[in-house]
């Protein structure tokens, strides 16, 4: 039975794939292609784009000798957004990536794809994901279709774990195209951390927790999560301090810290360096989410408890010294009792895990922003 059914399934899949492709090829002839770096689009998440004209999260020529791995990962476009208003019934994406999808534990749609949300701010709904073959490093894909052709706010999220060399937005010829509504102000939420911050292993870019928060807090978000490499180096503290208009700095790098002793070395220094330039910017310190392995590793469980206690005591001590804009959030509570079902591989959250994280972080982030305003 298995040998007989496989050819039929393959034939059926090929037929299903061919039908929309023919339609989309004819539809593309009626598109007008736009550069998202030009007006009236608003490109977000790349603090140095005006300088380098690259979809890159750090400057091409950093003023600090940052780690080589961080410099490479800065090419990954996590957190990048394209925002605009349109009444086009279709939205296409044309992208040239540096490489193709190659991660075993992360969907290609999250690593190399774009996804789209539509609707007024605070009520935006998922509207589509680019469909492409995992072996492709360039593709043109339908991202969203709305037959009602109403004017709406569109937010397109960049890939989480891949570099984007070129991208264009395809809209129906003659469709309205307008600038998006402004943010509440020019303040930026800077989120610095690990692979979890960067977005591993969200199934699509809009599900990473910084992306989710950006749909609920009307400010620009900068995702500065670096997979395996967000370690709180002083050079990175100085780099982050260069970013203009910070509204809040979120520090979520414990999982890469290298142990309690290293965390005790880097964290006070990181905060001190950042405070030299931004003494009044709220800083939200988040300890590590619970990995399911603590259920079988008592030593790891105790180690994480010690790290959490150190971070909380540091915040309390600095508050006694006069820093009243430093806050601590216990990451061990972000996933609740479902931490065992909230990761892909025992470390990196699923979409379910990221939803829980965003829901728990949101009220603390809002509190920080209210105090800082």
């Amino acid at each position: 039975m298995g040998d007989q059914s496989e050819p039929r399934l393959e034939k059926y899949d090929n037929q299903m794939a061919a039908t929309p492709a023919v339609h989309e090829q004819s539809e593309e002839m009626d598109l007008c292609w736009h550069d998202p770096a030009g007006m009236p689009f608003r490109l977000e998440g790349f603090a140095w784009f005006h300088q380098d004209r690259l979809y890159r999260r750090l400057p091409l020529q950093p003023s600090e000798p940052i780690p080589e791995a961080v410099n490479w990962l800065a090419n990954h476009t996590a957190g990048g957004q394209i925002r605009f208003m349109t009444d086009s019934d279709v939205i296409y994406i044309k992208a040239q990536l540096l490489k193709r999808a190659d991660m075993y534990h992360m969907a290609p749609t999250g690593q190399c794809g774009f996804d789209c949300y539509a609707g007024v701010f605070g009520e935006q709904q998922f509207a589509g994901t680019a469909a492409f073959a995992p072996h492709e490093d360039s593709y043109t894909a339908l991202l969203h279709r709305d037959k009602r052709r109403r004017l709406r706010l569109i937010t397109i999220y960049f890939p989480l774990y891949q570099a984007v060399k070129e991208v264009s937005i395809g809209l129906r010829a003659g469709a309205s195209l307008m600038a998006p509504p402004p943010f509440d102000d020019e303040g930026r939420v800077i989120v610095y951390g690990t692979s979890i911050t960067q977005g591993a292993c969200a199934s699509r870019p809009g599900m990473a927790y910084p992306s989710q928060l950006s749909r609920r807090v009307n400010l620009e978000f900068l995702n500065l999560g670096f997979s395996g490499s967000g370690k709180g180096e002083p050079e990175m503290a100085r780099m982050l301090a260069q970013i203009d208009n910070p509204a809040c700095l979120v520090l979520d790098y414990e999982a890469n810290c290298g142990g309690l002793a290293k965390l005790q070395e880097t964290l006070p220094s990181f905060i001190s360096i950042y405070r030299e330039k931004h003494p009044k910017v709220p800083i939200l310190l988040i300890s590590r989410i619970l990995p399911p392995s603590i259920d079988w590793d008592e030593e790891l469980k105790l180690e994480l408890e010690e790290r959490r206690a150190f971070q909380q005591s540091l915040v309390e001590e600095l508050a006694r010294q006069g820093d009243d804009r430093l806050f601590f959030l216990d990451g061990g509570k972000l996933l609740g009792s479902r931490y065992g079902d909230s990761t892909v591989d025992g470390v990196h959250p699923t979409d379910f895990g990221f939803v829980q994280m965003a829901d728990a972080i949101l009220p603390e982030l809002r509190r920080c922003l209210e105090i800082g305003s």
Side-chain angles (χ1 to χ4, degrees):
M1 291 292 292
D3 291 341
Q4 293 176 350
S5 64
E6 286 175 6
R8 280 188 241 153
L9 286 172
E10 182 179 355
K11 181 178 179 180
Y12 176 77
D13 289 342
N14 288 341
Q15 289 174 340
M16 291 295 289
T19 302
V22 172
H23 174 71
E24 289 173 13
Q25 286 174 6
S26 61
E27 189 169 62
E28 287 176 38
M29 298 176 64
D30 191 32
L31 297 179
C32 181
W33 291 95
H34 303 267
D35 177 2
M39 298 295 291
F41 295 93
R42 179 141 184 183
L43 184 66
E44 311 290 351
F46 305 109
W48 287 271
F49 185 85
H50 66 285
Q51 171 182 305
D52 297 324
R53 309 300 294 181
L54 294 173
Y55 303 117
R56 179 177 157 87
R57 295 182 292 155
L58 292 176
L60 188 60
Q61 300 294 333
S63 60
E64 297 287 333
I66 61 176
E68 182 178 351
V70 172
N71 195 44
W72 169 253
L73 289 165
N75 294 305
H76 291 179
T77 54
Q81 299 182 23
I82 303 166
R83 300 171 62 245
F84 58 99
M85 300 279 291
T86 188
D87 64 356
S88 177
D89 62 324
V90 293
I91 298 174
Y92 276 76
I93 194 89
K94 183 185 297 182
Q96 174 67 56
L97 310 178
L98 182 62
K99 295 184 178 181
R100 64 185 187 180
D102 59 2
M103 298 174 71
Y104 81 94
H105 60 343
M106 187 167 180
T109 46
Q111 182 186 1
C112 296
F114 291 77
D115 66 355
C116 174
Y117 282 73
V120 298
F121 177 78
E123 300 178 12
Q124 283 200 307
Q125 299 293 321
F126 170 65
T129 303
F132 59 97
H135 66 269
E136 295 177 328
D137 60 9
S138 64
Y139 56 82
T140 299
L142 174 67
L143 196 56
H144 170 52
R145 184 186 301 277
D146 185 344
K147 294 182 179 180
R148 291 169 290 185
R149 297 205 64 161
R150 48 186 183 158
L151 188 66
R152 59 209 183 278
L153 172 64
I154 299 295
T155 302
I156 296 174
Y157 291 92
F158 277 73
L160 295 169
Y161 267 78
Q162 190 52 266
V164 175
K165 298 167 66 175
E166 296 179 9
V167 61
S168 299
I169 306 299
L171 305 177
R172 184 76 69 186
S176 296
L177 174 60
M178 301 167 54
F183 289 127
D184 288 343
D185 58 55
E186 292 302 310
R188 292 160 149 175
V189 178
I190 304 165
V191 191
Y192 172 72
T194 68
S195 54
I196 294 172
T197 313
Q198 185 172 337
C201 288
S203 65
R204 48 187 177 78
M207 291 307 295
Y209 84 78
S211 299
Q212 292 190 49
L213 291 172
S214 76
R215 294 193 294 276
R216 300 161 80 176
V217 175
N218 197 24
L219 297 173
E220 181 179 4
F221 276 69
L222 301 177
N223 185 329
L224 295 179
F226 299 102
S227 186
S229 303
K231 299 181 179 180
E233 301 93 340
E235 295 83 2
M236 290 305 299
R238 287 190 286 270
M239 286 295 305
L240 267 60
Q242 296 176 15
I243 298 173
D244 295 333
N245 302 320
C248 182
L249 171 63
V250 179
L251 296 180
D252 181 23
Y253 77 87
E254 182 203 324
N256 283 355
C257 72
L260 177 60
K262 196 66 176 177
L263 185 63
Q264 291 171 330
E265 173 189 338
T266 61
L267 185 56
S269 175
F270 197 106
I271 294 172
S272 176
I273 291 170
Y274 194 80
R275 278 286 180 247
E276 290 175 7
K277 191 166 184 180
H278 301 289
K280 295 298 183 180
V281 172
I283 298 176
L284 177 60
L285 178 60
I286 304 177
S287 61
R288 180 179 175 176
I289 61 172
L290 293 181
S293 55
I294 63 168
D295 291 334
W296 295 274
D297 189 337
E298 189 67 23
E299 184 177 348
L300 174 61
K301 183 178 181 179
L302 293 174
E303 164 76 7
L304 295 185
E305 290 175 354
E306 290 177 342
R307 293 188 208 170
R308 184 167 59 251
F310 163 69
Q311 293 173 82
Q312 187 166 7
S313 65
L314 176 64
V315 169
E316 293 170 353
E317 175 59 29
L318 292 176
R320 285 192 290 268
Q321 296 177 20
D323 191 340
D324 61 353
R325 300 194 174 193
L326 181 62
F327 306 91
F328 174 74
L329 178 59
D330 184 354
K333 297 180 180 179
L334 297 187
L335 301 182
S337 62
R338 298 292 301 276
Y339 59 88
D341 292 328
S342 300
T343 75
V344 171
D345 54 1
V347 176
H348 303 97
T350 60
D351 291 349
F352 172 60
F354 277 128
V355 167
Q356 293 179 93
M357 291 185 69
D359 286 347
I361 293 170
L362 180 62
E364 294 301 313
L365 177 60
R366 283 178 170 161
R367 183 164 72 100
C368 291
L369 293 169
E370 288 173 3
I371 292 173
S373 62

